[in-house]
Amino acid sequence: MIMEEKCSVFRCTVVIIVFLLVPLIHCSVVNYDRKAIVINGRRRLLISGSIHYPRSAPEMWEDLIIKAKEGGLDVIETYVFWNVHEPSQGNYNFEGRNDLVRFVKTIQKAGLYAHLRIGPYVCAEWNFGGFPVWLKYVPGISFRTDNEPFKVAMKEFTEKIVNLMKMNELFASQGGPIILTQIENEYGSQGKALGPVGYQYANWAANMALRTGTGVPWVMCKQEDAPDPVINTCNGFYCDAFIPNRPYKPTIWTENWTGWFSVFGGARYERRVEDVAFAVANFIQKGGSFVNYYMYHGGTNFGRTAGGPFITTSYDFDAPLDEYGLIRQPKYGHLKELHRALKLCEGALVSSDPTVTSLGPSQQAHTYAWASGGCAAILSNYDTDSSATVTFNNVKHKLPPWSISILPDCRTVVFNTAQVGAQTSEMGMLPADAEMSPWEFYSEDVNSVGVSKSFTAYGLLDQINVTRDTSDYLWYTTTVDIPSSESFLQNGELPTLLVQSEGHALMVFVNGQLSGSASGTREYKKFVFSGKVKLRAGKNRIALLSVAVGLPNIGTHFEEWDTGILGAVAIYGLDNGKWDLSHGRWTYQIGLAGEAMELYSPPYVNSVRWRRVASTNQKHNALTWYKSYFDEPEGDEPLGLNMGSMGKGQVWINGQSIGRYWTTKATGNCTTNNGGYTGRYKPLRNQVGCGYPTQQFYHVPRSWLRPRGNLLVVFEEHRGDPSRIAMVKRSVRSVCADVSEFQPNVRNLQIESSGNKEKFRKAKLRLECGPRQYISSIKFASFGTPLGTCGKFSHGPCHAPSSYTILEKECVGKASCSVTVGNWIFGDPCSDMLKRLKVEAICSTTQ
Ligand code: GAL
């Protein structure tokens, strides 16, 4: 018999299985003290990771969350994205990728906690920072300040989300997984800049949030003056210096940036896991008890969700799970080991304050006491250049530069942030056997722009005011009458057209012909197009296509920023000098003809006559739609589209938008990246991919495909070559591992750690290919003193000749293998030397 009754305080369901007499009380009491978040009376050291639900397909969620759990996470964090949930005022969407309830329930099913960052301003490199564009047009509105219309809308959405969670019993106070909630996002400095109204708004936001009664604590990140009981938290690459605004609040790091986002035309950024681990260990040793990786899985900005301007469709973020949901090694594995080591110390860390001892000029020990006696210690070396040998508790420990060691029993080093035991996986985009049916094309008719579905006005209008962001594209067209007496018609010295734009990209057509294009950058959105134009005597049509590339997501009152062609637009070089067209009569057309017809969606694709692309390498005019069909590639590797042969545009599969593509090359400075990781991380010093397209591959979730006849539609603004568009599958190409023969013997480690005593690895090298892959060959193996990094290993002065045969015997043909690293396996190639084993193995789908 099962009896149900309600908890008086939190409406929590108490299920009592009477015949077993075991009460299963699902509700949790979540509060905090100065040391930690306290769940059901127990202080917790919590490791969290950001996974944003609309940045992957729902079919991927469970796998991502389970991988996160296996990576040692306790909590999944997500923002709530207002503009996907309320695309027009009062009309809500919680379907598909927007199914927030399903996402939180998936977290719950995996046995993890959730942190819901409702915002509703989220920043997040997301279109308009998460605000719906209609919000800008609410009369009298001003975003993120003490403004009634804004506060009314923000309160309504916040309550909508809180109520949705409550209805589904998803707060921990109801038995659900949500243990934390966030209001606003990094408002502190913005509020300060606004003065009293900023302060009033922040207070209002906190109190409004508290009144929703979630039964779990609220946080405000980067908000020094967060009012009680809201916890102010830290975001950044490091948070070791962060102190909450009241001594009774715990030290929480809501965004530990695992990498950085990219913009089209910019480099990509990597952040070495050694430094991420260092930052976490440093934060924890100084009293931090909650760390969230931003991002743990970055994912994809599908459709037109990328913020901007110019944020790429990929939001990979160099996260432990890559854009495609695959494990990124060694980032994932090394952090997993860090989490395991920290959890071994959890009881000591959350129950005592550290004793800090100096171990040298740049070396320290933080010692925490176990309640049952003994201690746990964290030893740090802040020196960025030299390793240090320190004596702690009468034992000598070697600390590599910029590294931290964890000793759960104050004697045994179970983890050092700079010593990476996890394997490295080299990922590749391999051809997927998906033949495209012959490409067909349909060109936008530039001559008929402005003929229908358009309006005219005098002067130049802001693009977003006109489009309301229903399309990236806005046509501005006008006509100019050139008298036959103009000298340039005789002397051939063509006049110059000048167009000043507030952003983001522009294409100029004169009498139906492309005259040129230009675009801004994230730093300098404004740009000027200037080019010679072929005008003729009589009427000339000037058609300017202004293209938005994501609305701003950050900046004071970004809702007021202009986009599009706001002038001046002028022709220079005429007999009368300059002709300013800015205040003349302009015809406006929102979007492309193909968009209006929904050419990208299966039911409407055939509303026009498509023509065969005649031959390979045939380049068509600018503004051309292409279509082809393909069957789903075999296997279950994640898929992508290689768009390297195209220029700029958008792409859809079976009517679902893969996102914007742009193959413009990265112009960053990659020469400053020397691969080192010591010292404070700076994205600009860690750029990769300069000289190559910032983004060439575009994620296609497998769940969007059917076995046969998938419709692929591409809208190309420039003049790309569709015949070379190809499906690719993301797979592990090779795996490397590098293990020293010496490993600490931790078998006798006596510690109190939430009841679990763990054995740490012996000196073993482990290799594992991707799902359904096998090790097909050993590219490199050397036990001795090998040199180099993965992909570039070479033999050192000492090398055991048995290395290859042993690795081949143990590994080839297997999905994974492990080999003990020691003289008794390989023979001793050089006694009295500390040896290591470095291996690179090739992975493939055939054994
Ligand atoms: C933070 C912000 C996040 C995200 C991140 C950068 O400042 O809170 O939403 O934008 O920066 O990737």
Side-chain angles (χ1 to χ4, degrees):
M1 188 175 109
I2 294 178
M3 256 169 47
E4 282 202 345
E5 61 183 43
K6 299 285 178 193
C7 283
S8 54
V9 190
F10 293 117
R11 263 191 72 247
C12 168
T13 307
V14 180
V15 181
I16 303 173
I17 304 170
V18 175
F19 62 87
L20 286 175
L21 293 177
V22 180
L24 297 174
I25 303 173
H26 295 299
C27 60
S28 301
V29 178
V30 185
N31 43 37
Y32 63 81
D33 65 14
R34 72 187 180 87
K35 291 292 292 180
I37 295 287
V38 180
I39 304 178
N40 292 331
R42 192 175 141 216
R43 286 178 178 151
R44 296 297 311 274
L45 170 70
L46 293 170
I47 311 289
S48 168
S50 296
I51 302 179
H52 295 159
Y53 53 99
R55 285 182 155 141
S56 54
E59 292 76 7
M60 295 167 64
W61 291 346
E62 187 160 18
D63 178 59
L64 295 172
I65 290 166
I66 286 173
K67 282 175 176 156
K69 183 178 184 179
E70 284 169 0
L73 264 54
D74 307 290
V75 184
I76 302 296
E77 177 276 340
T78 183
Y79 280 128
V80 177
F81 298 87
W82 186 353
N83 52 13
V84 302
H85 294 308
E86 198 178 352
S88 62
Q89 194 167 10
N91 294 315
Y92 293 97
N93 176 348
F94 290 97
E95 304 289 310
R97 289 205 318 280
N98 308 331
D99 193 344
L100 175 60
V101 169
R102 173 170 166 187
F103 184 73
V104 178
K105 285 190 172 167
T106 312
I107 298 173
Q108 181 172 31
K109 187 174 157 213
L112 295 181
Y113 295 122
H115 175 201
L116 200 65
R117 300 214 285 164
I118 299 177
Y121 168 67
V122 297
C123 189
E125 291 68 66
W126 191 260
N127 200 44
F128 225 33
F131 289 132
V133 172
W134 58 257
L135 192 66
K136 172 173 164 158
Y137 298 97
V138 170
I141 205 155
S142 183
F143 287 6
R144 302 179 77 204
T145 186
D146 194 14
N147 166 277
E148 271 316 300
F150 179 76
K151 291 192 304 188
V152 167
M154 170 164 163
K155 178 167 180 278
E156 206 170 303
F157 181 71
T158 306
E159 288 174 351
K160 171 95 190 167
I161 295 300
V162 168
N163 290 337
L164 181 69
M165 297 298 109
K166 280 187 185 170
M167 259 162 45
N168 288 280
E169 312 211 306
L170 291 173
F171 288 108
S173 50
Q174 304 173 290
I178 305 172
I179 54 163
L180 270 188
T181 35
Q182 178 180 299
I183 195 75
E184 250 295 341
N185 190 74
E186 297 193 334
Y187 186 69
S189 55
Q190 165 121 18
K192 262 191 202 147
L194 294 183
V197 284
Y199 173 77
Q200 281 151 19
Y201 163 70
N203 255 289
W204 168 85
N207 288 314
M208 180 272 289
L210 291 167
R211 274 195 299 272
T212 60
T214 58
V216 299
W218 284 90
V219 305
M220 289 178 103
C221 62
K222 282 197 162 179
Q223 184 80 45
E224 270 171 33
D225 58 0
D228 284 1
V230 176
I231 309 165
N232 65 310
T233 66
C234 182
N235 292 348
F237 289 111
Y238 305 92
C239 276
D240 47 289
F242 175 76
I243 301 171
N245 64 8
R246 296 281 180 276
Y248 40 83
K249 294 181 184 174
T251 306
I252 294 183
W253 189 357
T254 31
E255 290 182 27
N256 171 7
W257 300 320
T258 49
W260 202 241
F261 61 86
S262 306
V263 295
F264 287 119
R268 288 178 292 106
Y269 301 99
E270 290 181 343
R271 187 177 181 202
R272 289 271 295 264
V273 69
E274 293 90 328
D275 183 52
V276 181
F278 173 88
V280 172
N282 200 16
F283 174 72
I284 302 283
Q285 72 172 345
K286 301 223 167 128
S289 57
F290 185 113
V291 182
N292 176 67
Y293 296 104
Y294 187 101
M295 301 295 298
Y296 196 75
H297 169 253
T300 310
N301 295 314
F302 295 113
R304 299 191 303 112
T305 60
F310 303 119
I311 301 290
T312 52
T313 295
S314 167
Y315 197 63
D316 179 86
F317 226 89
D318 198 24
L321 299 178
D322 72 16
E323 180 185 0
Y324 295 76
L326 297 178
I327 285 172
R328 171 169 278 129
Q329 292 287 37
K331 210 163 208 171
Y332 175 93
H334 193 53
L335 293 177
K336 176 177 174 157
E337 286 178 21
L338 166 71
H339 304 151
R340 211 190 287 169
L342 287 171
K343 287 296 168 109
L344 286 171
C345 307
E346 179 176 7
L349 291 170
V350 296
S351 61
S352 66
D353 290 327
T355 306
V356 186
T357 336
S358 169
L359 302 176
S362 309
Q363 294 77 31
Q364 278 186 337
H366 283 71
T367 315
Y368 286 83
W370 287 101
S372 54
C375 60
I378 302 188
L379 311 183
S380 42
N381 179 13
Y382 296 101
D383 197 310
T384 53
D385 303 314
S386 317
S387 54
T389 301
V390 297
T391 305
F392 175 76
N393 210 6
N394 296 323
V395 180
K396 279 194 163 46
H397 298 279
K398 191 168 176 202
L399 298 171
W402 196 251
S403 83
I404 295 182
S405 285
I406 298 173
L407 298 76
D409 62 351
C410 267
R411 294 192 70 78
T412 321
V413 176
V414 298
F415 181 85
N416 176 277
T417 56
Q419 286 164 353
V420 179
Q423 73 173 25
T424 298
S425 302
E426 295 279 339
M427 308 304 291
M429 291 302 203
L430 307 178
D433 49 350
E435 206 182 313
M436 302 283 167
S437 70
W439 283 93
E440 293 173 277
F441 74 95
Y442 167 78
S443 293
E444 284 278 317
D445 181 4
V446 178
N447 289 317
S448 64
V449 168
V451 172
S452 65
K453 295 210 173 143
S454 57
F455 67 92
T456 55
Y458 283 92
L460 296 161
L461 304 178
D462 173 82
Q463 180 163 347
I464 305 309
N465 284 346
V466 178
T467 63
R468 305 267 167 128
D469 200 34
T470 50
S471 166
D472 276 358
Y473 303 98
L474 179 64
W475 283 104
Y476 296 66
T477 60
T478 193
T479 45
V480 289
D481 242 324
I482 298 290
S484 50
S485 57
E486 274 291 342
S487 318
F488 78 84
L489 294 169
Q490 270 75 51
N491 66 21
E493 280 176 30
L494 292 179
T496 298
L497 175 70
L498 188 121
V499 182
Q500 278 181 300
S501 170
E502 296 290 313
H504 309 137
L506 168 71
M507 303 188 73
V508 176
F509 296 84
V510 174
N511 298 325
Q513 296 300 310
L514 179 66
S515 279
S517 60
S519 55
T521 62
R522 188 160 164 97
E523 287 74 37
Y524 306 102
K525 287 185 303 122
K526 297 183 186 201
F527 64 90
V528 179
F529 167 87
S530 165
K532 299 276 180 208
V533 278
K534 278 192 201 148
L535 297 175
R536 58 190 177 214
K539 277 207 179 339
N540 291 267
R541 255 179 112 253
I542 298 184
L544 308 176
L545 181 62
S546 182
V547 189
V549 194
L551 301 192
N553 58 273
I554 189 166
T556 307
H557 286 302
F558 61 74
E559 79 273 19
E560 291 168 11
W561 298 0
D562 294 324
T563 309
I565 303 162
L566 288 182
V569 177
I571 302 172
Y572 290 81
L574 300 174
D575 289 344
N576 284 338
K578 163 182 161 188
W579 184 359
D580 190 345
L581 306 172
S582 315
H583 306 287
R585 192 178 143 93
W586 289 87
T587 300
Y588 292 88
Q589 181 187 298
I590 300 170
L592 308 162
E595 282 182 300
M597 290 184 280
E598 295 183 43
L599 282 189
Y600 45 79
S601 79
Y604 305 109
V605 65
N606 286 326
S607 32
V608 295
R609 233 189 92 231
W610 294 83
R611 290 172 36 216
R612 265 289 176 87
V613 172
S615 63
T616 52
N617 287 327
Q618 180 185 354
K619 291 207 173 177
H620 291 270
N621 291 339
L623 310 188
T624 298
W625 295 81
Y626 294 98
K627 78 167 165 102
S628 173
Y629 293 87
F630 65 95
D631 294 343
E632 183 186 355
E634 305 239 302
D636 54 8
E637 300 91 336
L639 299 172
L641 268 178
N642 182 351
M643 299 297 289
S645 62
M646 303 300 280
K648 177 176 182 301
Q650 293 179 37
V651 52
W652 295 260
I653 287 184
N654 296 332
Q656 301 245 42
S657 174
I658 300 296
R660 300 185 182 100
Y661 69 87
W662 194 354
T663 54
T664 179
K665 295 200 170 103
T667 54
N669 180 0
C670 295
T671 56
T672 50
N673 186 357
N674 62 7
Y677 63 86
T678 63
R680 298 238 148 197
Y681 175 81
K682 292 206 172 58
L684 287 179
R685 271 202 268 126
N686 291 270
Q687 304 187 79
V688 291
C690 300
Y692 296 94
T694 311
Q695 190 180 351
Q696 178 174 350
F697 300 102
Y698 294 79
H699 181 203
V700 177
R702 265 204 190 256
S703 55
W704 292 7
L705 299 184
R706 44 173 179 251
R708 307 248 164 273
N710 296 286
L711 170 65
L712 169 59
V713 174
V714 176
F715 174 68
E716 165 73 2
E717 294 166 22
H718 300 166
R719 302 189 62 209
D721 171 10
S723 68
R724 287 189 287 132
I725 294 176
M727 292 295 295
V728 290
K729 39 189 189 184
R730 187 164 175 86
S731 348
V732 179
R733 259 187 221 279
S734 71
V735 287
C736 295
D738 176 359
V739 173
S740 161
E741 65 175 331
F742 167 75
Q743 293 289 312
N745 175 10
V746 293
R747 257 174 291 172
N748 300 322
L749 188 64
Q750 291 299 320
I751 44 164
E752 165 200 320
S753 68
S754 26
N756 78 16
K757 289 199 183 101
E758 296 214 29
K759 283 183 189 165
F760 265 74
R761 61 192 145 82
K762 285 190 272 166
K764 274 207 166 201
L765 174 138
R766 223 184 106 71
L767 293 170
E768 184 174 6
C769 288
R772 273 157 287 283
Q773 281 189 322
Y774 303 93
I775 295 170
S776 57
S777 63
I778 300 295
K779 185 174 160 197
F780 181 91
S782 177
F783 176 68
T785 55
L787 309 167
T789 52
C790 183
K792 293 182 213 120
F793 287 147
S794 62
H795 290 180
C798 161
H799 166 70
S802 59
S803 307
Y804 280 94
T805 37
I806 291 174
L807 264 294
E808 272 160 7
K809 182 166 157 278
E810 296 299 328
C811 299
V812 172
K814 297 185 183 159
S816 67
C817 63
S818 63
V819 176
T820 306
V821 183
N823 290 338
W824 64 97
I825 301 289
F826 292 92
D828 189 351
C830 44
S831 51
D832 297 335
M833 284 188 86
L834 181 64
K835 290 164 285 287
R836 51 193 322 114
L837 175 62
K838 289 193 191 227
V839 179
E840 179 170 3
I842 305 295
C843 298
S844 84
T845 44
T846 44
Q847 251 166 313

